[in-house]
């Protein structure tokens, strides 16, 4: 079976694994929630925001409380560095804002970036991110989510700043893939990052998450 055919099988398995999170599909929107139109996302065209020092913001950690330090409306991006990690291959590149990566051990990572996310912005980025999970699946309660971090810019293999995200995890069981979903809504930037990881078991999931944390870096906006 070639890599793309294998990826198709893994995508189906990953969706089944994510469906098991919280007991129903994470990909089914709440009809009563505000509709957010998906958009094709690329790194933003540089803009000039008077008085804003994008370089200084990119050099610091991005906890939920620092979301307001981003320039208004300039989206956050995400790198494709996971394809350079041992055992990984990119099988989809920025298709409607989504990229997918497959690992030789059977893990699948899907990374999505969305713009025009202002309707999801609530009091702060943590509340907004919890709201995103609820928007995708009303059965996901804030108490199910854990705080995690991803790289915030920087260089692979070198210390660098991190950004807080919320994570929803489900251990693997017989016949069910181990899964994790990590997301962050950047209210000021009106954009969001959503990463799902699905693996054959807990051990391969832990290794995949370590690769994601190191290689799949969020790209701070510039001006």
């Amino acid at each position: 079976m070639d890599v793309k055919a294998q990826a198709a099988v893994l995508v189906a398995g990953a969706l089944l694994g994510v469906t098991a999170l919280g007991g129903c599909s994470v990909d089914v929107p709440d009809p009563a929630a505000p509709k957010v139109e998906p958009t094709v996302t690329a790194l933003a065209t540089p803009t000039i925001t008077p008085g804003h020092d994008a370089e200084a913001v990119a050099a610091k950690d991005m906890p939920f409380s620092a979301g307001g330090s981003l320039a208004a409306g300039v989206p956050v991006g995400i790198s494709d560095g996971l394809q350079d990690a041992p055992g990984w291959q990119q099988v989809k590149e920025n298709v409607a804002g989504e990229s997918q990566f497959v690992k030789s051990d059977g893990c699948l990572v899907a990374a999505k970036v969305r713009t025009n996310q202002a309707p999801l912005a609530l009091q702060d980025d943590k509340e907004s991110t919890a709201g995103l999970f609820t928007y995708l699946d009303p059965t996901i309660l804030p108490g199910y989510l854990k705080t995690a971090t991803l790289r915030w810019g920087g260089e692979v293999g070198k210390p660098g700043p991190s950004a807080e995200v919320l994570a929803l995890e489900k251990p693997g069981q017989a016949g069910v893939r181990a899964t994790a979903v990590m997301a962050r809504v950047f209210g000021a930037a009106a954009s969001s990052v959503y990463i799902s990881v699905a693996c054959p078991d807990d051990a391969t999931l832990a290794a995949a998450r370590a690769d994601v944390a190191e290689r799949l870096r969020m790209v701070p906006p510039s001006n």
Side-chain angles (χ1 to χ4, degrees):
M1 181 182 295
D2 62 28
V3 173
K4 289 193 175 180
Q6 179 187 30
V9 173
L10 290 172
V11 170
L15 291 176
L16 288 175
V18 173
T19 297
L21 292 173
C24 58
S25 172
V26 175
D27 289 325
V28 178
D30 179 1
K35 186 175 182 180
V36 180
E37 295 295 335
T39 58
V40 177
T41 306
L43 291 181
T45 300
T47 59
I48 298 176
T49 304
H52 179 72
D53 190 340
E55 186 175 347
V57 173
K60 300 178 181 178
D61 288 341
M62 180 52 59
F64 289 116
S65 59
S69 65
L70 294 171
V74 183
V76 172
I78 195 164
S79 76
D80 59 1
L82 189 59
Q83 65 180 328
D84 299 322
W88 288 95
Q89 181 175 357
Q90 187 171 23
V91 294
K92 180 186 287 188
E93 181 179 0
N94 194 25
V95 178
E98 178 177 344
S99 295
Q100 292 182 356
F101 306 84
V102 172
K103 194 177 181 182
S104 55
D105 62 6
C107 289
L108 171 72
V109 168
K112 303 177 184 179
V113 180
R114 295 288 185 265
T115 58
N116 301 324
Q117 301 288 281
L120 292 175
L122 301 175
Q123 182 172 348
D124 58 33
D125 281 3
K126 186 172 186 178
E127 185 178 351
S128 300
T129 304
L132 172 61
F133 278 97
T134 302
Y135 167 73
L136 295 172
D137 183 344
T139 70
I140 298 175
L141 302 178
Y144 299 165
L145 306 173
K146 299 179 180 179
T147 301
T149 58
L150 294 174
R151 292 292 299 272
W152 177 245
E155 297 181 40
V156 174
K158 296 182 179 181
S162 62
E164 286 186 324
V165 298
L166 288 181
L168 181 65
E169 305 170 353
K170 187 179 188 303
Q173 302 174 17
V176 179
R177 292 165 68 82
T179 56
V181 175
M182 293 157 282
R184 168 79 182 255
V185 173
F186 297 89
S191 61
S192 66
V193 173
Y194 178 96
I195 300 169
S196 63
V197 187
C199 293
D201 52 43
D202 293 345
T204 52
L205 177 65
R209 287 194 63 177
D211 288 340
V212 167
E214 175 62 23
R215 301 275 188 160
L216 206 58
R217 296 170 294 119
M218 293 187 188
V219 180
S222 59
N223 64 359

